Structures are given as structure tokens and as C-alpha cells.
Amino acid sequence: MSIRKRESKKERNGYSYQVYFYYKDKFERRKYYSKSGFKTKKEAQLHEAQMKAELEEAGTLKKDYNLKFSQVFQEFLKNESSEYSPNTINHYKYTFNKYLSLTIGNKKIMHVCEYDFIQDYFNSLEDQSLTVNRNIKATISRVLKYATKRGYIRAVDMSLIKVKGEQKESRKHKIVDYELLQEVMSNLKPHQAITIAIGYYTGMRIAEITALYREDIDFENNTIDINKQLVYASRSKSEYEIRHILKTSKSRGKIPLPYELKILLKEYIEKYPYDPICSKQGQYFNVPNLGKKLRRDFGFTYHDLRHPYVKPTTKKFITFFEVFRAAS
């Protein structure tokens, strides 16, 4: 028997369970494994089964690192932030600070990787927004993947974790047609208007649009080179910066320059020859404020410019630019 009951002053009932057993590693060396502190025999049995399954698969057991989730999160930020979009990292930081730092953040990483622990945690969040809970799951998943890579824990299949929550009525994406585009552009400042035009005709992200330089536009070959983005979230304009890390690897590359946009860009650049293109004479403008103005005055968001439209006849997704061209 590899599970035993032991006295424990920490537990209210006065005892806990311990898992212990001898095994041979992949080099045929005899080793001993033990772990205490399980509140129920069922928890101990589940852990024993997991450890023996890991032993069967890997031929050895990982060391029980005495690290808290918050420590691994900070280590992840230090070592791997450069591999992700700055806006993505800011999102992870926000989620951790608001929802995880005082809860899971204080738990040992070896405990957080247990299926029952994670599922129980999300079960306790059912009264919370489903969107928030999905963001929490994404952050936890990223940290656990890093911990697995570092050898702190075994691999965790987060797809098995069920996340529930209150699902608010989602806002419907607004289709920005050509008439609305013209209305918006006529009521915005030139640098704001060209920003929206680029989004309308290409579906580029706002962070990519506001990082475009004149050298990124190839009028001869009719292409736009997407190779960087503006980091602006939760920053003042003086702290804005352009980085050559995009949200996803698929974001990088050249896309077609539509004829209508080509005409607009040529006229704009001739009159305002500054870099970035979408700026006030080379100075960054307040990106979030423009987003608020679009929603308040015209009823749509930056993201609505990216959202695809389903062609009724074929049910296939096509861009707004394609819709406009087909209708004109």
C-alpha cells in the first residue's frame, strides 16, 4: 500500500494522507517518492495515479519545485515577454494583477497544475463573466506551459478544463459601409481619417496601422508591408513606442494595396509627408480617444473594421473591401 494516514496539526480533523513509493528510474536506480498534505484519501489516490502514469511515460519523476504560481508568472515575463506582442503581455499582466495575484498566485505551482484544483477554481467563478473567466484561463495556460517547458511540472491539458460564467448579450458588430466611411472621414481630422480608411480597406489592426511608415507602402507593386506595431495600451502618448513584434506570426507580411486606398494614401502623403503616416506631423495621436469617438459619434469600433461579412449567396467570409468592390 503506497498511501497512508498521518497525524497533522494543520488539518481540522487532525490528519492528512501521504503518498509514498519506491521506483526505479530510467537508469535502473532505486529512488523514493513521497508527498504529504492531502486532505482526503481520494486526492492522495488521484495524485498517486498521476505520478505513476508520469513514471510510466517518462521513466522518471520531476522534482517537486517549491515555487509559487506568482513566482513562475514573473519568471515567464522576464524570460519570454520578448516572444509576444507587448499588448498581449500587458493583457496577461492586467489579468494576473486583477484576478490571480491574491488567489492562485499564492499557491504552489505543483498544486495549480492538478486537474481537480484548476477545475474547482473555475467552478467557483461561475457567477463571474464568461469572457473574464476565459481570459483567466488563457493566462493560467500560458504560465503552465512555461512551467512545463522549465521542467517544474508535467504537461497539463487545459482543454479538459471547463469554464463557465455569465454570458452577457454580446454586442453585434456593425457593418461599416461606404456611405458611413465617407461620413466618418469628413468629420475627422486628416490623420484620423486616413487611419480609418486604411482599416476599412485592409482590415489591419489599429496597432499595425498606426505603426506604418511611408517606406512600408509600395505604390509600384501595390503592397503594404506589415512588419511592426504601435504599443499604446495603458500608456501616455509620451510612452508610445513602435516594436517589430506583431500579435501573431501570421500578421507579418505583405498585403495588397487596394486601388481606392492607393489614391487616398498618395494624396495624403503628398500633403503630410511624415512618419508614422497616421500621425500629427510625426507626433503620435491619442489612439484610445479616437476609438471612443468612433463608438460615441458613429456607433462602431476599430474592430468592426476587421470583422468579416458573410456573403449571403455562398456563406463565405469576405472582407468589407471585397463587399464594396462587388457592390460598386
Side-chain angles (χ1 to χ4, degrees):
M1 186 68 178
S2 56
I3 296 177
R4 57 188 171 195
K5 193 175 183 179
R6 305 183 70 186
E7 290 186 6
S8 174
K9 295 181 180 179
K10 294 182 180 180
E11 301 298 332
R12 291 183 179 179
N13 56 13
Y15 61 86
S16 64
Y17 291 87
Q18 179 191 37
V19 174
Y20 69 100
F21 57 85
Y22 286 96
Y23 68 95
K24 287 186 178 181
D25 65 14
K26 55 187 176 183
F27 301 108
E28 292 298 315
R29 294 175 299 196
R30 190 168 187 263
K31 294 200 171 185
Y32 176 73
Y33 176 85
S34 70
K35 186 172 183 179
S36 306
F38 298 99
K39 294 182 179 181
T40 65
K41 188 174 182 179
K42 183 179 178 181
E43 286 182 3
Q45 289 173 330
L46 178 60
H47 180 77
E48 177 192 19
Q50 291 173 333
M51 291 300 99
K52 289 187 175 180
E54 180 180 318
L55 183 60
E56 180 71 22
E57 180 180 352
T60 188
L61 294 176
K62 295 186 182 299
K63 181 180 178 181
D64 188 356
Y65 288 90
N66 192 31
L67 291 171
K68 291 183 178 180
F69 183 89
S70 59
Q71 292 175 295
V72 180
F73 177 74
Q74 295 302 327
E75 187 179 317
F76 159 72
L77 293 179
K78 179 181 178 182
N79 294 332
E80 296 199 352
S81 287
S82 60
E83 298 180 17
Y84 298 88
S85 157
N87 292 330
T88 299
I89 291 297
N90 286 337
H91 182 69
Y92 287 148
K93 287 180 180 178
Y94 173 83
T95 302
F96 176 81
N97 291 332
K98 186 167 184 178
Y99 302 105
L100 297 173
S101 62
L102 299 179
T103 53
I104 282 183
N106 293 321
K107 304 295 182 181
K108 289 184 178 180
I109 194 69
M110 290 296 293
H111 292 165
V112 176
C113 73
E114 300 288 347
Y115 170 82
D116 283 352
F117 177 89
I118 304 175
Q119 189 59 67
D120 287 345
Y121 172 72
F122 279 106
N123 290 344
S124 71
L125 303 179
E126 287 186 359
D127 294 335
Q128 197 166 255
S129 162
L130 178 61
T131 300
V132 169
N133 290 344
R134 285 173 175 168
N135 289 337
I136 291 173
K137 181 181 178 181
T139 303
I140 292 175
S141 297
R142 185 57 58 196
V143 176
L144 293 184
K145 283 182 180 179
Y146 173 79
T148 301
K149 186 191 301 185
R150 297 289 296 176
Y152 299 153
I153 60 173
R154 65 186 179 282
V156 182
D157 187 356
M158 289 294 287
S159 67
L160 299 176
I161 303 299
K162 297 179 180 179
V163 177
K164 299 179 181 180
E166 292 189 8
Q167 193 157 10
K168 299 179 181 178
E169 186 175 347
S170 59
R171 171 188 170 276
K172 292 183 179 180
H173 292 284
K174 182 169 182 174
I175 295 180
V176 182
D177 57 25
Y178 185 69
E179 287 71 24
L180 179 55
L181 173 69
Q182 293 301 307
E183 179 189 351
V184 172
M185 291 182 65
S186 64
N187 285 279
L188 293 178
K189 296 176 181 178
H191 65 276
Q192 298 173 326
I194 197 65
T195 299
I196 301 308
I198 295 173
Y200 176 84
Y201 284 112
T202 68
M204 289 172 60
R205 296 182 175 89
I206 185 63
E208 298 164 351
I209 296 171
T210 48
L212 284 175
Y213 275 48
R214 287 169 292 170
E215 64 185 23
D216 299 321
I217 312 298
D218 187 340
F219 290 112
E220 184 176 344
N221 295 305
N222 297 317
T223 62
I224 299 175
D225 188 4
I226 304 175
N227 55 62
K228 51 190 176 297
Q229 69 171 344
L230 180 68
V231 182
Y232 65 87
S234 303
R235 298 188 179 198
S236 64
K237 286 191 294 182
S238 62
E239 296 174 318
Y240 284 10
E241 63 175 316
I242 289 178
R243 293 189 185 178
H244 288 267
I245 298 176
L246 299 176
K247 185 172 183 179
T248 69
S249 58
K250 293 182 180 179
S251 300
R252 187 178 303 277
K254 294 183 179 181
I255 63 172
L257 171 62
Y259 176 77
E260 288 80 358
L261 180 58
K262 178 179 180 178
I263 300 302
L264 290 174
L265 279 171
K266 274 192 169 183
E267 292 177 355
Y268 179 84
I269 291 175
E270 184 177 342
K271 192 172 182 179
Y272 306 100
Y274 305 105
D275 287 322
I277 294 172
C278 303
S279 63
K280 294 190 294 185
Q281 297 184 348
Q283 300 298 313
Y284 298 123
F285 67 90
N286 193 310
V287 178
N289 279 359
L290 176 56
K292 292 176 184 177
K293 181 177 179 61
L294 292 177
R295 189 159 190 169
R296 181 186 67 243
D297 297 347
F298 306 103
F300 70 92
T301 67
Y302 288 134
H303 189 71
D304 287 331
L305 296 172
R306 284 179 53 76
H307 203 265
Y309 172 82
V310 181
K311 190 175 181 181
T313 55
T314 63
K315 302 298 182 182
K316 292 182 179 180
F317 288 98
I318 56 178
T319 65
F320 288 134
F321 171 66
E322 290 171 319
V323 172
F324 169 63
R325 286 298 296 273
S328 59

